[in-house]
Amino acid sequence: MTLRTDRGTGALELRALTKSYGGNTVLDRMDLTASEGEFISLVGPSGCGKTTTLNIVAGFEVPDGGDVILGGRSVLDVPSYRRGLGMVFQSHALFPHMTIADNVAFGLSVRRTPKSEIRARVAESLDLVRLSAFADRYPRELSGGQQQRVGIARALTVQPRIILMDEPLSSLDAKLRREMQVDLKRIQRAVGITALYVTHDQEEALTLSDRIVLMNKGRIEQNDTPEAIYNKPANAFVAGFIGEASFLSGTVVQSGDPGMVRLDSGTLLKTGAAQLLAGSKACLAIRPDRVYLRPLGAAQDALAGTVRARAFLGTTVRHIVELDGGGEIMAQLTVPESDGIVEDGRVEVMDDPQDWRLFPAEST
Amino acid sequence: MPGPVRLLAWALYALILLPIVMVLGASLTAGGFLTFPPQGLSLRWWQAMLIDRELLRGLMISLRIATLTLVISVPVGALAAIFLDRQNARWRNALVPVLTAPLSVPLVLTGFALLVFFTRLGLLNETGLVLGHVVVSVPYVIRSALVSLSLSDRTLARAAEVHGANPAQVIWKVTLPMMRHGLISGGLFAFLASLNNIVVSVFIAKPGVIPFPVVLFSRMENLAEPSVAAASTLVIVLTAVLCMLLEWRYDLFRSLAR
């Protein structure tokens, strides 16, 4: 291993990365730091710049501005093949004319590593992804999940500074994808490698990541742990993208903690800490699993509505409630909790004021 | 296939194949002239061909030129295809017709242009013949190599690069193996294009270095002996065997159609 200059810079640092294609800005002064061994997901809708970021780190694309720092040194003038990276591709991109062992050995054989060392390290990598029995097969003889494990082994065999993954599981079916997520996390932990992972699947990002970087239109909307990004979304975009949320709009009548918001429907709602000024328009968001329902009683000024749809999801039941005076709210209840609530029935929405997130209205 | 279409298909096959059968038949005649149907059966013209120095010499020259053309066209065409494949679509669409122009320009014009050019360079000899044939053969290699490149996964080159392969290693270890089928079939066409070429050869050939098709052509004009038909049959059979061997070994045409 070369000298590891960990002067607080971390394994990877992106500084004010900027890229545009024909006047269309894909990356807008993006900053990011990854520490050793961290699993970071870049998440966002298509066109948000996550893949461009990965391609710039890989050396496939050159940024218009900014810098990429790997292990303490700028690599902008270093060609891709000298950056010491490993990468896993959405299409697997295994070499079809080579055996599994030769695919995994590729990075070492182009570096003219001694044969005996190659053999040992390929065996080690294949063991790690549990494909030792397939060394002499060809990629086309393997299933999609097995092929992607070969892709991971190929990337790890070069002992990269950082492993880049471009939607590696999106070509697999849902069940296999979940199994592979567990596998991927196990391998990354075992090797202790820094990973930069691109996905549009927020659930995958929540499962795998130490940190999620949510991007939109070339900018970072929020960069935080999965728990923080789920429980304390920085804005309405984050709340809507990561996990599910119902949105209501209204006007702040009292800022501070507790806050009060007059919904557009006229109902007065108590919320947690409201940072917005009284009188300003606000967007309110709440997770479906933080909303409870009960048949409507005689309570005055309750948030009331009519159940429009119920969907049984196994352990929970999902309800969509149309609120009186406009707006819709999702409620996810356990089966016993949903007892007595029927379609087209009148219900009262129960909530903990602390579960409402308030954002300035224009950010929706 | 409905009846009339099937009938049309057979008629077309017949149109393509019957002349070849006629040539074979004519070579087996016992008479002294090139006629069909043959007048009696004999192998005398096949014997005559086998001791015909001029014909055999032409055949050797043609095989030699075709082999050299193949050996030069394949690497040249492969590199051109790799270059073209890496350009953006607009630039590529502009360049492909230029680099494959000999396929669309009438061969007579190409031949005449080469005559003028090679006269200046003093290349009206076997070297000139090889170069001339390379000019008309390279486009076949470029075309089929481009097809196999466009069928292969473009991220393969990136995967090679990011894992440490320098640009030469990317070409050698990934791009060329991906192009293998295209290069084999392109090479076959290049070889055959040279072996069968007459138009370019007539302009460049000088006495003593006359390729086989040119010998055949002048024979047919002057003395139409059935030995010409025998020699033609021999070339047809050689070509067919070559195509079938490669097809059987590499599944060429199916892999191109995929």
Side-chain angles (χ1 to χ4, degrees):
Chain A
M1 209 73 212
T2 48
L3 63 154
R4 204 167 252 185
T5 48
D6 242 1
R7 295 184 220 104
T9 53
L12 168 74
E13 197 183 341
L14 306 179
R15 285 188 192 148
L17 219 50
T18 301
K19 177 83 183 174
S20 55
Y21 298 105
N24 181 19
T25 304
V26 183
L27 276 182
D28 191 3
R29 281 161 293 148
M30 172 173 172
D31 295 303
L32 180 67
T33 306
S35 356
E36 290 287 342
E38 212 179 0
F39 195 118
I40 296 187
S41 290
L42 300 179
V43 191
S46 51
C48 71
K50 56 191 194 293
T51 299
T52 305
T53 306
L54 204 68
N55 284 340
I56 289 175
V57 175
F60 301 150
E61 287 181 55
V62 181
D64 300 334
D67 205 351
V68 177
I69 293 152
L70 269 173
R73 281 180 37 207
S74 169
V75 293
L76 278 191
D77 53 355
V78 178
S80 179
Y81 63 94
R82 291 219 189 93
R83 290 191 184 184
L85 300 168
M87 188 159 179
V88 183
F89 296 84
Q90 181 175 3
S91 65
H92 313 324
L94 300 182
F95 307 121
H97 57 291
M98 296 182 196
T99 61
I100 298 310
D102 288 342
N103 265 283
V104 175
F106 186 86
L108 298 178
S109 60
V110 292
R111 285 173 172 81
R112 313 207 189 291
T113 309
K115 285 251 176 355
S116 55
E117 192 188 336
I118 293 184
R119 220 170 302 131
R121 276 166 65 180
V122 167
E124 196 184 321
S125 290
L126 282 177
D127 194 44
L128 189 67
V129 298
R130 295 177 304 194
L131 284 175
S132 304
F134 296 84
D136 297 322
R137 304 276 192 91
Y138 281 88
R140 62 176 173 276
E141 300 173 79
L142 270 59
S143 71
Q146 289 170 331
Q147 287 189 27
Q148 200 51 292
R149 270 147 61 197
V150 176
I152 294 166
R154 176 177 65 182
L156 289 174
T157 309
V158 301
Q159 296 178 342
R161 287 170 171 163
I162 169 168
I163 187 168
L164 308 175
M165 293 185 261
D166 185 9
E167 310 219 6
L169 307 183
S170 62
S171 61
L172 308 177
D173 65 61
K175 184 163 176 287
L176 191 57
R177 199 178 317 153
R178 235 162 287 138
E179 288 171 23
M180 284 290 294
Q181 285 172 5
V182 177
D183 243 18
L184 200 60
K185 190 72 189 171
R186 172 185 66 82
I187 293 166
Q188 187 259 342
R189 275 284 144 75
V191 182
I193 194 174
T194 313
L196 193 58
Y197 190 97
V198 162
T199 179
H200 63 264
D201 182 343
Q202 43 98 9
E203 209 180 298
E204 195 166 288
L206 287 171
T207 312
L208 290 172
S209 319
D210 296 319
R211 204 137 56 82
I212 293 177
V213 176
L214 180 54
M215 298 177 70
N216 187 30
K217 296 176 186 151
R219 291 169 165 276
I220 294 178
E221 297 279 357
Q222 192 168 358
N223 172 356
D224 223 324
T225 61
E227 290 81 5
I229 221 163
Y230 185 85
N231 294 322
K232 297 191 171 78
N235 55 47
F237 178 83
V238 177
F241 197 88
I242 299 284
E244 284 179 303
S246 306
F247 293 94
L248 297 175
S249 58
T251 310
V252 180
V253 293
Q254 178 193 315
S255 72
D257 193 3
M260 294 290 263
V261 175
R262 165 100 40 211
L263 296 179
D264 291 350
S265 59
T267 313
L268 201 61
L269 189 75
K270 198 162 127 191
T271 70
Q275 314 280 342
L276 304 175
L277 290 175
S280 59
K281 296 291 286 177
C283 166
L284 294 102
I286 194 164
R287 300 286 183 203
D289 55 339
R290 312 304 295 172
V291 178
Y292 304 92
L293 303 176
R294 71 173 180 203
L296 186 61
Q300 290 293 308
D301 209 22
L303 195 54
T306 309
V307 177
R308 284 301 172 212
R310 286 179 94 228
F312 178 63
L313 303 176
T315 50
T316 57
V317 185
R318 158 73 51 94
H319 300 74
I320 294 176
V321 177
E322 189 184 324
L323 297 174
D324 297 344
E328 222 177 54
I329 198 164
M330 286 185 286
Q332 193 149 340
L333 308 180
T334 62
V335 176
E337 281 168 350
S338 77
D339 206 31
I341 295 173
V342 293
E343 219 156 306
D344 293 323
R346 300 280 296 153
V347 289
E348 181 183 344
V349 174
M350 314 284 295
D351 56 87
D352 178 339
Q354 296 300 327
D355 287 329
W356 286 99
R357 321 269 352 147
L358 249 75
F359 310 110
E362 66 271 11
S363 64
T364 3
Chain B
M1 245 186 331
V5 176
R6 186 185 294 255
L7 206 65
L8 187 68
W10 282 111
L12 280 172
Y13 282 136
L15 193 66
I16 294 166
L17 292 173
L18 277 182
I20 295 173
V21 175
M22 286 173 71
V23 172
L24 173 66
S27 75
L28 294 173
T29 186
F33 303 100
L34 201 51
T35 52
F36 190 86
Q39 300 164 323
L41 287 179
S42 91
L43 286 175
R44 60 181 279 219
W45 294 109
W46 282 79
Q47 277 175 320
M49 172 199 66
L50 290 177
I51 53 165
D52 188 326
R53 303 285 296 269
E54 197 191 16
L55 269 182
L56 291 182
R57 187 133 183 270
L59 191 57
M60 289 320 291
I61 290 170
S62 274
L63 285 173
R64 193 163 65 218
I65 291 176
T67 307
L68 285 170
T69 300
L70 168 79
V71 168
I72 297 171
S73 309
V74 169
V76 169
L79 289 177
I82 292 171
F83 170 78
L84 289 169
D85 187 63
R86 292 180 179 189
Q87 307 309 308
N88 65 44
R90 220 163 165 194
W91 195 209
R92 182 169 59 237
N93 290 343
L95 277 177
V96 168
V98 175
L99 289 184
T100 58
L103 286 181
S104 42
V105 172
L107 270 182
V108 173
L109 292 186
T110 309
F112 180 67
L114 287 171
L115 171 67
V116 174
F117 189 52
F118 284 179
T119 308
R120 293 221 137 190
L121 297 177
L123 278 175
L124 296 184
N125 50 31
E126 193 168 334
T127 311
L129 274 173
V130 172
L131 291 178
H133 285 191
V134 166
V135 168
V136 295
S137 299
V138 162
Y140 291 104
V141 182
I142 294 180
R143 281 261 173 227
S144 59
L146 272 179
V147 171
S148 38
L149 278 179
S150 69
L151 290 174
S152 64
D153 180 358
R154 266 153 219 286
T155 53
L156 290 177
R158 284 186 163 185
E161 195 188 353
V162 80
H163 291 117
N166 64 39
Q169 286 172 321
V170 171
I171 289 180
W172 193 247
K173 289 183 174 266
V174 177
T175 314
L176 282 177
M178 295 291 90
M179 297 165 74
R180 196 165 126 258
H181 278 95
L183 291 182
I184 291 168
S185 68
L188 172 67
F189 283 117
F191 182 82
L192 295 178
S194 165
L195 193 66
N196 297 326
N197 188 288
I198 179 158
V199 183
V200 169
S201 299
V202 212
F203 284 101
I204 300 171
K206 65 165 190 185
V209 196
I210 303 190
F212 182 71
V214 181
V215 176
L216 275 191
F217 190 70
S218 66
R219 286 287 187 87
M220 286 174 194
E221 279 193 324
N222 302 323
L223 70 165
E225 281 181 343
S227 58
V228 171
S232 305
T233 307
L234 185 67
V235 172
I236 290 169
V237 171
L238 277 179
T239 308
V241 168
L242 193 62
C243 286
M244 283 192 284
L245 274 180
L246 286 175
E247 167 64 20
W248 168 71
R249 176 71 183 77
Y250 295 107
D251 227 2
L252 283 189
F253 299 98
R254 194 192 310 173
S255 67
L256 274 183
R258 188 175 48 202

